[in-house]
Amino acid sequence: FDRKEIEFRVVNCNAPTKEKTLQNIIVNEIPSYFGKSFNDFYNLNGENTQCGLVFCAIAGEDRWRNGKFHPFGTRHIQSLLNTWLPEKRCGIYNGQVQSEEKKVNARQFKNNELVALSATKSYGMGIDKPNIRWAVHYGISSSIESYYQEAGRCARDGKKAVSWIILSNDYPEDNLRLLDSTKTSVNRL
C-alpha cells in the first residue's frame, strides 16, 4: 500500500446498518474529506469532476427476494446512490449488464457525465481515468490484491483520493478468511 496519494479507511458496522453507513460516507465523509460541501463536491465539472466508484462483490442483476435486486449487488447500490446523488448521476458496470448499457455508462463516466459508478471488479481493466477521487468497497474484496487493484483505480493523476471499505457482519467467514492470516494459508488467498 505504497500509494501516498490514497488514504485508506475502514469502517465496521452491523449488516442492518450497512446502507446507512454507505449513505453517511457518500453524503458526509467524502465531501468533508475534500473540504467541500455535498453539492460542490458532486457537481459535474468536466475533467475536474470528483468521480468515484462503489465496488460490490456481486453483480446482483437477477431479481432476488420479493422481486427486488440483491441488497449487496451493483443494481441495488446504483439505485441507492441515485437517490442520494444530485440528478441521478450514478451508472452501473458489471459483467451481467447488457452490452449497450455498459458501454453507455462507461462512456458517460469516462467523459465526466456521471460522478459515480456502482461496479464489480470488472470495471477498470485497461481504463485510465485520472480523476477518480474516491472508492467505497461495499464489503470486502475477494483478496487483498483485488482490493489494492480496485483502490488503485483512484488518483491515477497523483492527486489525493480516499478509499473506504465497509466491513460488516453479513459474511463473517469471508472477512475472517481474508483478514486473519492464521486462519488461512497465504496460498489460499
Side-chain angles (χ1 to χ4, degrees), residues 43-76:
N43 188 34
L44 295 178
N45 192 18
E47 63 188 36
N48 294 316
T49 301
Q50 310 292 312
C51 294
L53 298 162
V54 178
F55 285 103
C56 301
I58 60 170
E61 286 295 302
D62 296 326
R63 296 287 176 164
W64 201 52
R65 297 181 185 150
N66 302 325
K68 295 182 179 180
F69 290 110
H70 192 288
F72 305 138
T74 56
R75 186 66 68 179
H76 178 70

Side-chain angles (χ1 to χ4, degrees), residues 74-95:
T74 56
R75 186 66 68 179
H76 178 70
I77 298 306
Q78 178 200 24
S79 70
L80 290 176
L81 291 169
N82 278 329
T83 63
W84 305 329
L85 294 172
E87 301 177 35
K88 298 187 176 192
R89 293 187 177 151
C90 179
I92 188 170
Y93 194 98
N94 68 58

Side-chain angles (χ1 to χ4, degrees), residues 27-39:
V27 173
N28 299 310
E29 297 291 335
I30 292 172
S32 175
Y33 175 79
F34 289 95
K36 295 189 175 198
S37 71
F38 174 83
N39 287 327

Side-chain angles (χ1 to χ4, degrees), residues 69-174:
F69 290 110
H70 192 288
F72 305 138
T74 56
R75 186 66 68 179
H76 178 70
I77 298 306
Q78 178 200 24
S79 70
L80 290 176
L81 291 169
N82 278 329
T83 63
W84 305 329
L85 294 172
E87 301 177 35
K88 298 187 176 192
R89 293 187 177 151
C90 179
I92 188 170
Y93 194 98
N94 68 58
Q96 295 177 2
V97 170
Q98 294 295 320
S99 177
E100 188 57 32
E101 182 182 11
K102 191 174 358 183
K103 285 179 193 175
V104 167
N105 283 312
R107 180 182 43 76
Q108 287 180 329
F109 188 64
K110 185 171 178 144
N111 293 334
N112 303 304
E113 297 165 18
L114 295 170
V115 295
L117 275 184
S118 173
T120 58
K121 64 184 175 181
S122 66
Y123 176 78
M125 303 307 280
I127 295 172
D128 188 18
K129 181 168 174 53
N131 63 327
I132 296 176
R133 296 282 158 254
W134 56 273
V136 178
H137 286 76
Y138 197 67
I140 198 160
S141 298
S142 60
S143 70
I144 295 297
E145 292 81 7
S146 290
Y147 171 71
Y148 189 65
Q149 286 178 352
E150 293 156 13
R153 294 182 182 128
C154 293
R156 293 215 172 145
D157 58 2
K159 295 179 182 175
K160 94 176 187 177
V162 62
S163 182
W164 288 81
I165 297 176
I166 299 175
L167 186 61
S168 66
N169 61 348
D170 25 63
Y171 298 106
E173 312 81 32
D174 292 343

